[in-house]
Amino acid sequence: MIWTYARQRLAEQARAVAFIVLYLVLFQLVVLQTVPKGAGRVAGGLGMVVVGLAFFLEGLFLGLMPLGERVGQQLPQRTTLPVILGFGLLLGVGATLAEPAIAALQTGGLTVTPWDAPLLYRLLETEPENLVIAVGAGVGVAVAAGMLRTWFGWSLKTLLFPTVGLVLGLSIFCTRDENLATIINLAWDTGGVTTGPVTVPLVLSLGIGVSRSMGHRQGTAEGFGIIALASLFPVLSVLLFAIALNHSTPRPASEAEFFAPANREAARRLVPTDEKLARLAFQRGSETARRALFPEATQHAAAIASLTMPAVRQALLGPLALEDWLLQRASPAEQALFKEALARQPDGLAHPAPALGGVVLSAAGMAVRAVVPLVALLLVVLVVILRDRPRRPDEVLLGIAFSWVGMTVLTSGIALGLGPLGDQVGRPLPRVFRSVPQEEGRLLLQPFDPAAVFPVYGRDGRAHPHFFLQNRAGEPVPVPFDPARFDPATGRYEHIVKRPPLFGPGLSLLGVALVFLFAFGMGYGSTMAEPALSALGRSVEELTVGTIKRGGVIQAVSLGVGLGLTVGVARILYHLPTVWLLVPAYGLLLVLTWLSEEDLTGFAWDAGGVTTGPVTVPLVLAMGLGIGNGLEVVDGFGIVAMASVFPIITMLLYGLLIRARQRQSVPGQAAGEAGHAG
Amino acid sequence: MPADSWPTWETRARITLAVHQAQSEQALRTLAALGLPAVLIEKARCVRLRLHNRLWRLLGLDMELSDSPMEMFRWSVAAAEAMPLLHHLARALDLRTPGNGTLYAQEVRECAALRPPALPALPGLAPPTGHLPTDLTLITGIQSVSGAEDTLPRLALLLGAGVPIVSRGQGAGVRDRLGLIRITIPPEKELVQLIVPTHDADGLQALLIEEGRLDRPGGGILYQTPVRAGLMDSLLRLGRQEHAASLEQIIAAIDDLKQGTTWRKRVFDGRPLPGRRPTAAGTHREICFVCPDGDGDAFVQAAMEAGAPGATLSRVQLVDLTGQAESRNMARERGIICVPAQREASLLEALSRVLAANADSHGLLQVIEASFLFSHQAS
């Protein structure tokens, strides 16, 4: 019996994950023409993802959602409106603190620099605690507003229209200031990121519970809509917070100006310590920054040389891998400096691999943070304030344990399997559309015979030195000879193997099409595996007695996220301002909302908030960072915002489609009137 | 409240009205205008066949199931008020047109914690017009959601039995005895309700059992309850229509002319059912309770101790039609228990004790005779 049950759950999740995995592997094999690295480890990680998802979802259905619904039902019966509003605020703030959202945003802002975007840097790095509080306040007010709406039976639309108008208006206002313009993307992304896999089902079931208890007939949308508000209000609060900070934040400056000793006073306001400043110069700056920071050539050389020491490297480069640093940040002169220093190092570089135990341990800690505070809050409210208990306490406790185990296994599985896989594809993605050949590896030829060099004449009549090298198939291929890489003293020649661009120079049509295809598949596939979406789909199916199917909801939302990611990537590729995309998208959305029924509005708007969860965010970030790095844009933000709008659009369209089909079976209004007249 | 005088049982008419979600506001307005204090609403869907052309008619016609969202309204009135009310509603909501909804009244014995006042004189009630079939039977099927995949509704439609109304519920009772292992059994159930002409009920039920594979373990249960009078929705098919009137419309018209459904009595081939035959008429009781959401467990537990085989709980909502009640406790649970007639007395005693313990909570008990209960367990 247990086996059948477990097999069903696992098979369901394996199907949910299958698309994204196959897609990533195929893309890697066919388009990028590389082989997945660390296949065993990745496969193990993917297995963990499946098991984790199965446990987590079962935990949601057994424990978290019944608990949330119970609290929601009892609240209006046993307390007063102020208590409920206070509880909503507390829940919103607690949810924000529990979700690792800010960590995700900081990962997204890895390339943000205090000279190009001082305000953005200040929000993310100097005052992240205040940012979290601003976001939390937004979510809290949203949950409270949602409760208020359900209490009085207001239509969701009456809340959505002014809120969207306000947020869009404020965003447009922000484009007029060079500092504020940089944070618009961040603000819109916080809206999507804050509502995570634990918050969504809890808040959803809470709303359903309150709505059931109140028994309004009109405009309740079954208690849906809180997630939608919790995606919009944080945008508002972050924008307001940024506007408040703006006057005390330095203006954008050039890199050299920022790191110049004369500017140290102003830089201190953003970057409090010298150590941090050095780290910035290495992680996010170019050679200009390092030269400005270490004005003496010897200091600069010493700093570069210190990278060979693992401890210093870890401190200076942080999450950036050395290879990436050399490729993306270091100038050729610095690469040479580093190589010199490395040559003096006897044992070369040591590469520590992440240990399985460490990953699982940190994931378990994170899962505790995500699950325990929220569940504890609900349990305390239920037992102490409402003097009630869960309907089936043993099931609820088991469910909570399941969701903790599931969360732990899921996040470690993503860190070990899905994340690296996405990384392997997302990182080299710029190769698809960029014309610059990229270094693939180095070959040491020793002893190298300079006599093997022969001239090859170019069209200009000049001779270029070449030599023959076997390619992978063993055939001799002439490759250019670079005298600078030959060391006559040791007879050593270092050959750099370069991978040619896949599709010709410039932004080729095929290359861009492939990137769009990749973005679409990535969004579509990862959203299908998102547990919060599964929970939402199930709630919708239950509430509509199966007239709107869970599978349909998942498909519609996944399509929307795929579309949204494609648009988000297009924004980065073509440097479009986010507002240009957000205003028409939300405009369309408002028209569709106006056309839709109350219930559908609630389902659809909530779908926008569920799309950014533990599966999507790491994958999307890998892709955003890959493309962002390739194009040297300020930050990879704005993708999540797009991935939140489009699913609402597709869900509303899906809803309208279903209703249109069902309308055929609705007795016409005319028939009803005739009945009256007769 | 003295224990001996309470609870009191009386015979009343339970009226069920199912209309499309888009019509439910109109239905509520109509009911409110009649002076009804409150109704219970349950979400449901009705299933119809949709014919559509496959690949530009190259591959002929295809049939698929089409769901539409419905809402079921339930309330009870004094037995004498039932017929005029049905006539009025049939006219006001134009229920005689196929596809506009289903309406029926069943005679139940009822015991309520709070007795709603009798309807006022119903001044707006027009004199009865048209015929209201009285030779109807309600077939109720309760199946697990997983694995059922609309078998019963599809069969009912293919047999031309009527438009099934499907709602959701949760199995309780047996599952709770298993301890935590119970989580491996999905509790979700689907309740399929089908109004059929009485003379065809047995034959249709036999076909449903045989072809719906209810005679297998975990297949679910199926039983009949009598209907006093009602109107069944006969719009079985949607989509392309070849003639000026559909077959269903013609049947509805002839039913009306003939003042009954006997003219279309079917002849079923007399093959015996595999396994055991369903039990005979009047041998069982369907006991139904309504209570605030969350209190259902107490009823189920009492019923199980008194020998009930299990219960199915559905979530319903009480809707106040007077516009006065400021209640924030409108979530209700409706439970159905089917037991053999000989256990009725002990079960009702146990249940009414629970009802009396929560006398202030608007609880309700209803009993109706059930026939031909079929379940795999019973056979």
Side-chain angles (χ1 to χ4, degrees):
Chain A
M1 198 150 68
I2 294 181
W3 168 237
T4 325
Y5 161 81
R7 199 183 52 196
Q8 271 175 4
R9 301 300 186 281
L10 288 176
E12 198 177 320
Q13 294 317 313
R15 273 198 298 277
V17 177
F19 181 86
I20 182 73
V21 172
L22 281 180
Y23 190 79
L24 285 176
V25 171
L26 270 182
F27 205 87
Q28 199 173 5
L29 288 178
V30 176
V31 178
L32 298 174
Q33 295 168 9
T34 53
V35 186
K37 277 173 265 180
R41 198 183 177 82
V42 167
L46 291 176
M48 286 171 80
V49 169
V50 170
V51 174
L53 276 174
F55 263 105
F56 183 67
L57 266 179
E58 203 57 20
L60 284 185
F61 295 143
L62 282 178
L64 266 50
M65 294 183 77
L67 181 65
E69 200 173 329
R70 183 78 177 181
V71 173
Q73 256 183 40
Q74 298 294 327
L75 269 176
Q77 293 175 32
R78 306 199 182 188
T79 58
T80 54
L81 186 58
V83 176
I84 296 183
L85 294 186
F87 169 73
L89 267 175
L90 205 60
L91 183 72
V93 176
T96 313
L97 296 180
E99 298 285 349
I102 290 309
L105 286 177
Q106 280 178 337
T107 320
L110 268 183
T111 49
V112 172
T113 63
W115 49 94
D116 284 329
L119 185 60
L120 182 57
Y121 182 84
R122 181 171 174 190
L123 284 179
L124 280 174
E125 302 284 337
T126 317
E127 306 186 20
E129 313 83 23
N130 293 340
L131 179 65
V132 175
I133 291 172
V135 173
V139 178
V141 171
V143 177
M147 298 280 185
L148 206 63
R149 181 188 85 77
T150 317
W151 181 280
F152 288 110
W154 297 335
S155 159
L156 180 60
K157 294 179 190 181
T158 56
L159 271 180
L160 281 178
F161 282 97
T163 313
V164 170
L166 195 61
V167 178
L168 281 181
L170 213 54
S171 301
I172 293 172
F173 166 77
C174 285
T175 55
R176 299 163 62 91
D177 183 284
E178 55 175 348
N179 240 347
L180 286 174
T182 57
I183 60 103
I184 297 176
N185 289 340
L186 169 77
W188 282 89
D189 275 10
T190 48
V193 172
T194 44
T195 44
V198 180
T199 318
V200 168
L202 269 186
V203 170
L204 207 60
S205 49
L206 195 71
I208 294 173
V210 173
S211 163
R212 259 179 69 67
S213 217
M214 295 305 295
H216 289 295
R217 287 286 303 155
Q218 289 282 318
T220 57
E222 316 282 3
F224 275 68
I226 301 182
I227 308 288
L229 296 176
S231 307
L232 282 174
F233 277 55
V235 184
L236 200 63
S237 61
V238 171
L239 285 176
L240 289 174
F241 179 55
I243 290 173
L245 284 185
N246 191 23
H247 68 277
S248 61
T249 307
R251 301 277 99 194
S254 80
E255 213 173 327
E257 273 167 30
F258 182 82
F259 282 101
N263 188 45
R264 204 50 52 86
E265 204 57 36
R268 277 283 150 71
R269 291 223 301 264
L270 289 174
V271 190
T273 62
D274 279 342
E275 199 183 315
K276 194 110 197 263
L277 207 59
R279 226 182 291 160
L280 265 178
F282 272 94
Q283 284 175 26
R284 304 184 189 183
S286 67
E287 187 182 2
T288 325
R290 292 180 284 274
R291 293 262 182 218
L293 190 64
F294 307 105
E296 304 283 325
T298 47
Q299 279 178 335
H300 180 240
I304 301 285
S306 68
L307 285 181
T308 52
M309 289 177 280
V312 180
R313 188 167 69 233
Q314 180 63 35
L316 280 180
L317 296 186
L320 205 60
L322 182 65
E323 290 76 17
D324 289 338
W325 182 79
L326 284 173
L327 267 176
Q328 294 162 0
R329 299 266 170 261
S331 66
E334 285 178 324
Q335 289 176 8
L337 278 173
F338 178 76
K339 219 167 54 192
E340 261 173 44
L342 191 61
R344 290 197 298 272
Q345 198 83 359
D347 46 354
L349 291 170
H351 278 284
L356 178 74
V359 171
V360 174
L361 216 61
S362 83
M366 224 153 72
V368 167
R369 217 180 106 179
V371 175
V372 170
L374 286 181
V375 169
L377 176 66
L378 284 184
L379 277 177
V380 165
V381 167
L382 187 66
V383 174
V384 177
I385 298 180
L386 302 173
R387 308 212 166 276
D388 194 19
R389 43 188 226 117
R391 189 158 180 174
R392 296 193 171 86
D394 51 347
E395 244 176 64
V396 168
L397 287 180
L398 186 73
I400 293 168
F402 269 16
S403 45
W404 175 73
V405 170
M407 194 76 179
T408 306
V409 178
L410 174 63
T411 30
S412 4
I414 287 172
L416 293 170
L418 206 53
L421 190 61
D423 217 43
Q424 285 178 26
V425 187
R427 225 170 256 275
L429 197 59
R431 271 205 299 116
V432 171
F433 57 86
R434 277 213 314 180
S435 56
V436 188
Q438 287 198 337
E439 181 178 318
E440 190 182 62
R442 287 152 193 259
L443 277 180
L444 215 53
L445 310 175
Q446 191 180 20
F448 184 78
D449 182 7
V453 178
F454 58 89
V456 173
Y457 288 95
R459 291 297 176 103
D460 52 1
R462 300 228 307 263
H464 303 277
H466 276 67
F467 65 93
F468 274 111
L469 189 72
Q470 278 189 335
N471 66 6
R472 284 213 179 100
E475 297 152 346
V477 177
V479 294
F481 172 79
D482 181 2
R485 301 200 174 276
F486 179 58
D487 184 357
T490 54
R492 212 155 61 166
Y493 181 78
E494 191 186 28
H495 175 67
I496 297 185
V497 185
K498 285 189 175 166
R499 177 175 279 273
L502 282 172
F503 300 101
L507 279 179
S508 71
L509 203 63
L510 181 62
V512 171
L514 272 173
V515 173
F516 285 172
L517 182 72
F518 175 73
F520 179 81
M522 194 92 147
Y524 177 77
S526 55
T527 308
M528 286 223 288
E530 217 36 89
L533 180 58
S534 201
L536 177 99
R538 181 155 148 165
S539 296
V540 170
E541 182 172 324
E542 246 173 51
L543 285 172
T544 59
V545 199
T547 48
I548 299 180
K549 295 273 191 301
R550 170 175 165 182
V553 172
I554 292 178
Q555 286 293 332
V557 172
S558 304
L559 270 177
V561 176
L563 278 178
L565 282 190
T566 315
V567 173
V569 167
R571 181 194 76 82
I572 294 184
L573 281 184
Y574 295 109
H575 300 278
L576 303 172
T578 311
V579 175
W580 284 19
L581 297 174
L582 283 177
V583 171
Y586 271 93
L588 175 64
L589 201 49
L590 291 183
V591 172
L592 285 176
T593 304
W594 181 66
L595 288 175
S596 296
E597 289 163 35
E598 188 72 27
D599 286 10
L600 285 176
T601 309
F603 300 154
W605 277 82
D606 274 7
V610 308
T611 50
T612 41
V615 187
T616 324
V617 170
L619 289 180
V620 169
L621 282 179
M623 185 183 66
L625 282 181
I627 295 175
N629 270 332
L631 294 168
E632 273 135 33
V633 291
V634 174
D635 60 76
F637 292 130
I639 295 189
V640 173
M642 290 297 144
S644 299
V645 190
F646 280 80
I648 311 182
I649 297 181
T650 47
M651 255 305 276
L652 280 175
L653 286 175
Y654 174 65
L656 287 173
L657 186 83
I658 291 182
R659 286 295 186 248
R661 293 188 106 197
Q662 287 173 354
R663 197 148 295 141
Q664 292 182 3
S665 53
V666 184
Q669 211 54 34
E673 300 299 317
H676 270 303
Chain B
M1 199 175 301
D4 50 341
S5 72
W6 201 90
T8 51
W9 291 86
E10 65 179 294
T11 302
R12 285 171 70 83
R14 175 173 70 198
I15 299 182
T16 308
L17 167 69
V19 293
H20 193 283
Q21 210 175 47
Q23 306 303 105
S24 57
E25 289 312 316
Q26 194 198 342
L28 276 178
R29 275 198 306 274
T30 312
L31 295 179
L34 288 173
L36 278 172
V39 289
L40 287 170
I41 297 193
E42 184 173 359
K43 293 203 158 248
R45 67 190 160 100
C46 73
V47 188
R48 295 190 169 94
L49 286 176
R50 178 202 298 276
L51 298 176
H52 66 102
N53 290 319
R54 220 186 281 167
L55 256 186
W56 303 286
R57 298 198 191 184
L58 286 178
L59 298 172
L61 279 175
D62 192 16
M63 246 190 306
E64 61 176 18
L65 295 187
S66 162
D67 294 323
S68 41
M70 305 283 283
E71 282 189 311
M72 296 174 81
F73 303 85
R74 286 197 188 89
W75 70 97
S76 67
V77 293
E81 288 169 334
M83 287 310 279
L85 196 59
L86 288 189
H87 275 286
H88 177 78
L89 287 175
R91 249 182 65 168
L93 297 171
D94 192 28
L95 295 174
R96 288 179 199 281
T97 308
N100 273 8
T102 303
L103 172 71
Y104 57 88
Q106 293 180 294
E107 255 169 32
V108 293
R109 282 195 299 126
E110 185 179 281
C111 163
L114 292 178
R115 169 73 56 223
L119 285 187
L122 299 176
L125 233 59
T129 49
H131 166 70
L132 212 53
T134 49
D135 48 355
L136 299 175
T137 294
L138 175 69
I139 298 184
T140 308
I142 302 176
Q143 272 193 305
S144 244
V145 171
S146 59
E149 266 113 42
D150 279 342
T151 327
L152 274 187
R154 180 186 298 270
L155 254 172
L157 288 167
L158 290 177
L159 292 171
V163 176
I165 298 170
V166 183
S167 58
R168 291 254 168 134
Q170 296 229 320
V174 184
R175 202 171 163 266
D176 293 330
R177 287 184 181 158
L178 292 174
L180 266 182
I181 278 285
R182 67 172 178 267
I183 63 161
T184 60
I185 305 171
E188 285 82 18
K189 304 274 183 205
E190 269 191 340
L191 285 82
V192 182
Q193 312 209 346
L194 190 63
I195 300 270
V196 296
T198 303
H199 47 78
D200 287 345
D202 293 357
L204 284 172
Q205 186 178 4
L207 282 174
L208 289 176
I209 291 169
E210 190 183 351
E211 292 182 25
R213 314 232 180 251
L214 259 71
D215 48 347
R216 295 184 175 182
I221 67 172
L222 202 68
Y223 61 90
Q224 300 174 13
T225 42
V227 171
R228 165 100 177 274
L231 283 168
M232 48 203 247
D233 188 347
S234 56
L235 185 70
L236 299 175
R237 265 156 231 252
L238 301 170
R240 203 181 147 80
Q241 185 180 318
E242 303 274 344
H243 304 281
S246 69
L247 201 56
E248 288 78 29
Q249 285 164 332
I250 297 171
I251 293 172
I254 300 179
D255 274 356
D256 211 29
L257 286 174
K258 293 256 189 189
Q259 306 258 309
T261 54
T262 335
W263 64 275
R264 52 182 166 108
K265 180 169 167 39
R266 303 177 185 214
V267 179
F268 295 92
D269 57 353
R271 270 182 301 160
L273 274 174
R276 237 187 80 156
R277 290 197 60 80
T279 47
T283 52
H284 285 70
R285 299 285 180 272
E286 182 207 80
I287 301 176
C288 165
F289 60 83
V290 178
C291 61
D293 199 345
D295 293 355
D297 293 339
F299 283 90
V300 174
Q301 205 182 346
M304 295 301 285
E305 279 162 14
T312 308
L313 299 174
S314 340
R315 324 188 74 182
V316 295
Q317 194 157 35
L318 189 69
V319 169
D320 169 58
L321 294 175
T322 59
Q324 291 160 359
E326 234 327 290
S327 173
R328 295 178 213 142
N329 180 11
M330 308 299 260
R332 293 284 183 275
E333 245 172 322
R334 181 174 187 268
I336 294 179
I337 303 168
C338 283
V339 288
Q342 60 267 27
R343 288 207 201 136
E344 180 193 358
S346 61
L347 208 61
L348 285 183
E349 197 198 322
L351 288 175
S352 49
R353 235 180 285 128
V354 182
L355 186 67
N358 305 309
D360 54 338
S361 63
H362 316 278
L364 189 71
L365 281 176
Q366 290 172 335
V367 191
I368 187 168
E369 198 172 83
S371 327
F372 301 107
L373 182 111
F374 180 91
S375 75
H376 174 74
Q377 286 161 347
S379 60

